[in-house]
Structure formats: structure tokens, C-alpha cells
Amino acid sequence: MTNVLGREALLVPLRNALKDAKGDAELWVHRRRSAITRYAKNESHQNALADETFVQARVVVKNAIGVASANSLEPGDLRALLANARAAAELSLPNPDWPGFAPRAKDRGMRAAGTNQVELVEEAVANTNGVAQYAPMTWAYLRALVLTDKGGSGWGEQLSSSISAHDFVAIAERAIEKASRDHDRTQLEPGDYEAVFEELAMAEVLRFVSLTGLTGQTLKDGRSFMAGADGKTRFGEQVTGPLFSLWEDALDPRTFALPFDPEGTPKKRVTLVDNGVARAVVHDRQSAKWFATESTGHAADPRRYAPGGHAGNLTMAGGGATREQLMGATKRGVLITRFHYTNTPDPRQATMTGTTRDGTFLIENGEITRALANVRYRMSALDLFRGIDLMGPQRLVRDWWSSNGMGSIVCLCPAVKVACCCAMSSRMTSSSAFASNGLWTTRTVLPRSGTFGRDTPVTMITGVRVDSGRARRQSRNPFPSRCGMFRSSRTRSGVRIALSIAPSAVAPSSAAITS
């Protein structure tokens, strides 16, 4: 039985009527729609449908309460109802213990936005060799973004094969809890930091590992971190830390996927990295022929990706640590909820750039102590995996691109705690952190004019001069063997320069920054 009138149909008439009320007044409506069928001796003998509306008005005049009731939400009827209640109040004795009407709930200064998505997918493939495959699939996704009047934001989401698996209250509470903490943001100070990456952040990292390093095409092109010299592979070599294991398994019941690829080949479980050792990549029929092997059933959706394989159902080994235990093991570090607008400038090193978003916090002695300004980062996924020293349980998540319809990767992955493996640097005009070849180093936003002075405490900077928004190397590079990557981009407030850090180097005496 449907026919729900809804929030606006019931509240709007009440609010409009109360605008003209004299004194304190209250309107309460109770609507009941009931259908019943009675049967006896195997036959139905009565059907009944009731749709009733009850409206009660209370009006207070000098602590005297008048009550009246009706069964209509028409404007004229509600005005008459309030008038009747007021007349009753004027004839009633005051109630010295009258507590007053309920106050409006305190505005927490929060507002919500988000997505509630359900999808049914069906695929079929047939060819003249007799292949005939069909399978359906469903999935559901709910995300909540809570924004505060103080400029904070918090994120909560859940992904599953059915909407019945969603815990709506938990999603909302997670977003509210992060948004309520996200106020009075401060810049991340230079220093050494550990980090806790939540599952959404890890999904973003795994996306780029997948696209740049886990397919036959990227291996053939030499773009994969599993590609060795002279066309050889690095299978059997230690490519990252021993706590990192990753496999592709579309048939895991905790995820959702079709059991065959667009070529009709059944999907296989493929161990990609085992305890840090490179083992394999996924193949479609084309890349399998290049490497004289068999397809693993991982042809890509031709609308999104080129031939050569696609790892779209990744499972990363997890552990048993709770979120509290991950933070509790962190003496001084950064909690990262998720990344936004990520990209990869160096596929061979599985390097990615982007910004943190919707919940970046400083952890001190196992507790969140303050909110941090979102930061732009640059890091190598392989170095991040080398630093893992504690993991939580796996959770089904997607990266930012896939959640917004620009990808099709699903991950079962844990939140992880990563040991510090790179130093922060520089205290300049306005600095914030980014990651480079490991954990957090520094990104600095400089004003359009100014200088690095001799007294500026810098560990190392690449020798650059910024002129009219373009960065170029100085004629004399003070650290020819230690210089890192740098980029320059003009913003409204100045020029951004990415600084790569080497703790043992010495800074140049000065470097002019002009506009």
C-alpha cells in the first residue's frame, strides 16, 4: 500500500496557518491510511479502506490553554481551528505549571548532500565459436557529505551488492562525526609524520596501481612497475613491502562483478603481488598472445579502456586492527579520509598526485587533536606499501573516479597505518604538505613577490627561479645529484612550487621569486 502524502503536503499547510496565529500556537496532524481484508471459510468476505486525517490545535493565552480539533488541512479550516482553540483558551483558567511549547532543535550548523544510487546490469556475449554467456548484477551506493557553517566537511559512504546491506545511520554518523571535528583548520607544520589512510584513500592508490601496472598492455609498453630492463619482467622480485599482498578476484562473494569478460572468457583469480613480490598481471586475449599465455578473463569494457587487460576487482590483504587501534599506534601523524582529483605523473613508480579532502586531521599520541587544511600531495604507491606496519579489516569501496562514473574499479581493501618514511621540510611564507617518494614532504605556496633568505630553515630545494608563472632550472644547480621533481602553476594568490626533500642536503643561500 502506497499513497504517502509526504513532508511538504503535511508541514506546509501547518506553517502557513501558523503565520497568522495570534500568540503562541501549535498544530499537530495525524494521518492514518489503513486497508484490511477479512476472510473465513477460505473466502474473503470484507474489504475496507480508511484514510483519516486528525488535526489538533493548541493556543495559549496568558498560560491558559485552549484545544480544538478537526479533520481538514484546508487553509480556511485551519484558520478556523486556531480561532476556536484561542476562544477556548480565553475562557479557560491559567495553568501556573505550563512548561511552554517545545523549542526548536538547536541548529548544529550542518547541511547534507550526497548520492543514493542503485543499478542493475545485464551482459551477454556470443560468438561464432559457440560462446554464449549471460549474467546479471546489481549494486547499491550511498554517500553522505556533511558541510558545516565553519567550513568543515565530513564524508560517509557504503557500497554493496544490495541496498538492504546499507547501514544508513552509521553512514550519517560517520559523516557528521568528521564534519564536527573539521573546524579551525591549521597548516601542517614541517616535521616527520606517520599516516593513517582510510579505505577510500587506499582505493584511490590501488586504482592507479591497477591502471598503470597490473595489465599486459602496461607491461608490454614498459610503463608497469613490474617491467624490468630489456623487455623482461620483474616477476619474482621484491617490488614493495612484505605486508602488501594484492590479487584480482571478481568471484569473491564480498564484491560484485560479472563472472566473464566482454570477450566471453571466464574470469580467474590472479595473484598480482604476494608479500611484496611481483607475481603476475591480468590479460585479455590480445595481451595473452603477446606473452604466449592464456587470457585470465580480464578484457576491459571497450567503452572505457583500450585492449590489453583490466584489473577491476582488486582485493588487498588486510588485518584485524580497528580504526581506534590504527590511530592508537600513531604517535604523531596524519589521518586521511580520502583523496580527490588524483592523477599519475610517473606510472613506472606508481606515482600519484591529488589533494586530501573531507576529513584530514592531526593525530598526536593516538588521538585526533585538530583539523588540518587540505593538502596537495605527490607520492609513490610502492613506497607507501613499503611503509605499512598495521592494517584493518577489508571493506568494499571505490575510488573517486569510479564513484563518479569515470571508472569501473571496485576494491576490497583495509585502512592502513604507515610508518614515517620521509621528512617534512621548510618553514616559508605559507606551506602545506605533500608526499613525494614515500610519505609527507612539503608543498609551498609562495606570494607573487618575495625571496628565500639566508635565514630560511630549508632542508633542500631544487634550484629554480620562477618568472611570469614559468619555472626553470637555474644555470647553476646546487644539488645536481639530489634534485627532485618540481612543478609550477599560477594561482590567484601566487605561484605554487613543489619542493622535493633530501634531509642531508644544504639549501642555496637565496632564490629570487618574482612575478
Side-chain angles (χ1 to χ4, degrees), residues 254-510:
R254 298 171 296 171
T255 188
F256 54 85
L258 297 168
F260 55 86
D261 68 10
E263 295 177 335
T265 306
K267 292 181 178 178
K268 299 177 181 178
R269 185 185 191 277
V270 180
T271 299
L272 305 165
V273 180
D274 184 23
N275 295 324
V277 177
R279 293 300 183 192
V281 295
V282 299
H283 292 287
D284 60 6
R285 291 183 58 78
Q286 178 62 75
S287 67
K289 185 173 183 179
W290 293 334
F291 289 91
T293 186
E294 294 183 351
S295 170
T296 59
H298 292 92
D301 182 339
R303 300 170 303 167
R304 295 186 184 276
Y305 306 105
H310 176 64
N313 288 91
L314 297 174
T315 300
M316 175 180 163
T322 64
R323 181 173 179 264
E324 290 71 24
Q325 289 171 331
L326 293 172
M327 292 193 298
T330 306
K331 184 175 182 181
R332 182 170 171 80
V334 182
L335 173 66
I336 301 161
T337 298
R338 72 184 190 98
F339 294 129
H340 176 71
Y341 213 79
T342 49
N343 214 323
T344 176
D346 186 1
R348 274 297 292 270
Q349 297 300 320
T351 300
M352 55 186 286
T353 64
T355 62
T356 63
R357 193 155 177 170
D358 301 322
T360 307
F361 302 99
L362 181 67
I363 304 171
E364 294 178 297
N365 298 318
E367 300 287 341
I368 292 176
T369 56
R370 54 190 166 102
L372 296 172
N374 287 323
V375 297
R376 186 156 189 88
Y377 67 90
R378 177 191 178 95
M379 67 181 177
S380 163
L382 301 181
D383 287 340
L384 185 154
F385 299 149
R386 289 187 186 99
I388 293 174
D389 59 13
L390 193 61
M391 295 182 288
Q394 299 155 321
R395 187 162 72 89
L396 190 65
V397 288
R398 291 188 300 186
D399 61 271
W400 179 83
W401 296 89
S402 297
S403 295
N404 288 281
M406 295 176 283
S408 58
I409 296 176
V410 181
C411 299
L412 271 167
C413 64
V416 303
K417 186 252 177 181
V418 180
C420 177
C421 54
C422 202
M424 292 288 295
S425 174
S426 88
R427 184 173 299 150
M428 301 185 192
T429 305
S430 175
S431 64
S432 59
F434 84 117
S436 176
N437 298 330
L439 206 49
W440 300 101
T441 54
T442 300
R443 168 173 287 276
T444 298
V445 182
L446 298 167
R448 290 182 182 272
S449 62
T451 60
F452 290 127
R454 291 179 181 271
D455 297 330
T456 303
V458 182
T459 308
M460 168 189 157
I461 64 170
T462 299
V464 297
R465 185 181 297 273
V466 178
D467 182 18
S468 301
R470 297 187 299 273
R472 67 174 184 267
R473 292 188 182 277
Q474 292 178 262
S475 57
R476 176 180 176 273
N477 188 332
F479 308 108
S481 64
R482 309 282 311 257
C483 286
M485 300 291 294
F486 72 94
R487 296 194 311 168
S488 170
S489 61
R490 183 172 294 281
T491 66
R492 289 185 179 180
S493 60
V495 178
R496 292 186 176 184
I497 304 175
L499 305 178
S500 185
I501 308 306
S504 61
V506 179
S509 60
S510 66

Side-chain angles (χ1 to χ4, degrees), residues 226-247:
M226 293 191 183
D230 301 324
K232 297 179 181 179
T233 71
R234 298 184 65 191
F235 297 158
E237 293 183 25
Q238 193 83 31
V239 294
T240 190
L243 292 184
F244 179 73
S245 292
L246 183 70
W247 56 93

